[in-house]
Amino acid sequence: MRPYILAETNWEALKNETFDLAVLPWGATEAHNYHLPYATDNIQADHMAAESARLAWEKGGKVIVLPTIPFGVNTGQSDIYLDINLNPSTQLAILNDIVEVLDRQKLSRLLIFNGHGGNNFKPLVRELGLKFPKMFISYCFFPQVLDKYAYFEEKGDHADEMETSLMLHLRPDLVLPKEKWGRGAAKSFKIKAFSEGWAWAEREWSKISEDTGTGSPYKSTKEKGHRFFEDITKKMGDFMLELCEADLDDLYE
Ligand SMILES: [Zn+2]
């Protein structure tokens, strides 16, 4: 039983306990090229949040990891079989209810640990921050914690070298053998502004990728995944500890 994982702890332990920081991992259920499981984002977020919390806990951080929300925003994949979409407005409703509990019970720091690129928490955090002024709500998206191209060679953002390497490290039993991997070749918009990234429109996923992957997985190894995982969780663990210890009345310099 890990005392910083809510799903594993119990009332005996929590009856007289208090925490400083709640961490909410948030993933998605979606196809990841041919070879990775639908729960890839959940598995990654689960493991990373738990390991980061362990590192913070061992340095004295009072952190509790809530169960991972397994569905994310998949509005661009509506025709991909059993990609389960949660609309942003539904996410706001879920977050609102969770924050309400934390606020009432004076657990006033929440970190949303995002594991899925389609989830966009900024507008939700803004709106909830206004509604719950005593809460300090933040979020992070793990591929942005470090420069991923210091670890991986191939460009990509879905079922790519990074995700395949991570899954080879975390759950090799759920990764199909290499001969089944798709190329992860992705088309980009003809309109320049979108491909340059300064304008945005939703990509219709089934039209940009044949195998649902974007980014070649072929150079993936479990060693790369291991190194990336360790470095991210170390940095995230320090961040969680800092959030636990921060003086909310004195945040700026
Ligand atoms: Zn993913």
Side-chain angles (χ1 to χ4, degrees):
M1 187 274 271
R2 295 172 291 181
Y4 48 87
I5 305 287
L6 183 58
E8 296 182 10
T9 190
N10 48 58
W11 180 234
E12 162 71 23
L14 293 201
K15 206 172 164 189
N16 298 307
E17 179 65 288
T18 55
F19 296 96
D20 291 322
L21 172 69
V23 174
L24 179 65
W26 204 310
T29 298
E30 58 172 347
H32 271 76
N33 199 323
Y34 294 125
H35 61 285
L36 297 180
Y38 269 56
T40 292
D41 292 355
N42 302 328
I43 292 167
Q44 290 171 161
D46 247 358
H47 280 81
M48 281 184 190
E51 176 61 8
S52 310
R54 183 184 72 80
L55 294 169
W57 180 267
E58 286 184 351
K59 289 179 182 164
K62 300 298 291 291
V63 49
I64 187 81
V65 181
L66 311 184
T68 300
I69 309 276
F71 304 124
V73 175
N74 280 90
T75 43
Q77 286 103 346
S78 56
D79 56 347
I80 295 178
Y81 194 54
L82 293 183
D83 273 22
I84 309 292
N85 174 53
L86 271 198
N87 282 320
S89 52
T90 313
Q91 288 190 309
L92 179 61
I94 292 170
L95 257 184
N96 181 84
D97 287 0
I98 293 171
V99 170
E100 204 162 43
V101 172
L102 300 177
D103 184 58
R104 188 170 59 238
Q105 300 184 354
K106 298 190 171 52
L107 207 179
S108 58
R109 295 150 212 242
L110 171 66
L111 171 66
I112 303 160
F113 190 106
N114 185 20
H116 170 60
N119 296 335
N120 178 11
F121 291 107
K122 191 184 276 185
L124 315 187
V125 168
R126 285 183 190 276
E127 188 164 336
L128 290 170
L130 198 60
K131 186 169 174 189
F132 298 96
K134 290 195 178 117
M135 290 295 300
F136 183 76
I137 309 169
S138 58
Y139 71 92
C140 63
F141 180 42
F142 82 77
Q144 294 171 342
V145 172
L146 296 167
D147 172 17
K148 79 182 231 192
Y149 295 111
Y151 296 80
F152 306 105
E153 295 164 60
E154 302 280 1
K155 291 242 172 312
D157 59 12
H158 186 67
D160 57 355
E161 185 186 347
M162 178 197 76
E163 288 203 293
T164 303
S165 297
L166 278 171
M167 292 304 285
L168 285 170
H169 168 55
L170 296 171
R171 289 297 304 268
D173 56 314
L174 296 178
V175 181
L176 289 182
K178 203 161 185 175
E179 59 270 21
K180 307 263 189 194
W181 300 4
R183 291 186 305 127
K187 292 180 183 164
S188 41
F189 274 111
K190 288 178 180 169
I191 299 169
K192 250 193 178 164
F194 298 128
S195 48
E196 286 174 3
W198 54 273
W200 188 87
E202 179 115 65
R203 292 174 287 179
E204 270 183 87
W205 215 261
S206 56
K207 291 187 180 162
I208 63 151
S209 171
E210 211 176 83
D211 50 37
T212 79
T214 62
S216 168
Y218 292 132
K219 291 185 177 163
S220 307
T221 67
K222 68 173 192 309
E223 291 76 19
K224 288 181 187 174
H226 186 117
R227 216 181 112 226
F228 191 58
F229 181 85
E230 284 217 322
D231 290 354
I232 283 193
T233 50
K234 222 177 275 166
K235 195 165 170 185
M236 282 297 310
D238 288 343
F239 172 47
M240 287 181 187
L241 186 62
E242 224 180 330
L243 282 175
C244 286
E245 292 173 346
D247 178 355
L248 295 185
D249 295 321
D250 184 22
L251 285 172
Y252 311 105
E253 59 184 12

